[in-house]
Amino acid sequence: MSVGGRGRAPAATLPAALAELLATGGEAAARLTRRPPPLARGQLHYLRWNAVPDASRARAELGWEPTPLEDGLRQTLAALPRS
């Protein structure tokens, strides 16, 4: 069970060809509606690039250490107003 009290959500996947179609069609529709596309081609390119973040420079130069996910979620949930 996760910190938020729910199980893990299933990963959603979209075939690459369908994602390309969505991005291209979405950008065409965005030009007509003057609203942002659901998925821009630049965003799709970045997602397919499989970038891996690297915090080694921040750790080395600044002494930064990330908060573990479970701790961060716990702290965030504790700070939210209760109704």
Side-chain angles (χ1 to χ4, degrees), residues 14 16-31 37-45:
L14 187 65
L18 186 56
E20 291 282 350
L21 184 63
L22 175 66
T24 302
E27 285 190 356
R31 283 191 290 279
L39 177 65
R41 287 181 293 172
Q43 291 171 321
L44 179 60
H45 174 76

Side-chain angles (χ1 to χ4, degrees), residues 11 13 22 24 27 29 38 42 45 52-53 65 71 75 79:
T13 59
L22 175 66
T24 302
E27 285 190 356
H45 174 76
V52 177
E65 283 301 321
D71 294 344
Q75 292 169 12

Side-chain angles (χ1 to χ4, degrees), residues 14-15 17-19 23 29-30 32-33 45 48 62-64 70 74 76:
L14 187 65
L18 186 56
L32 297 173
T33 63
H45 174 76
R48 294 182 74 193
L62 303 174
W64 176 77
E70 292 280 325
R74 194 173 288 108
T76 300

Side-chain angles (χ1 to χ4, degrees), residues 46-73:
Y46 178 77
L47 291 171
R48 294 182 74 193
W49 179 38
N50 292 323
V52 177
D54 178 12
S56 61
R57 183 173 175 198
R59 288 179 172 164
E61 294 182 16
L62 303 174
W64 176 77
E65 283 301 321
T67 301
L69 180 60
E70 292 280 325
D71 294 344
L73 286 174

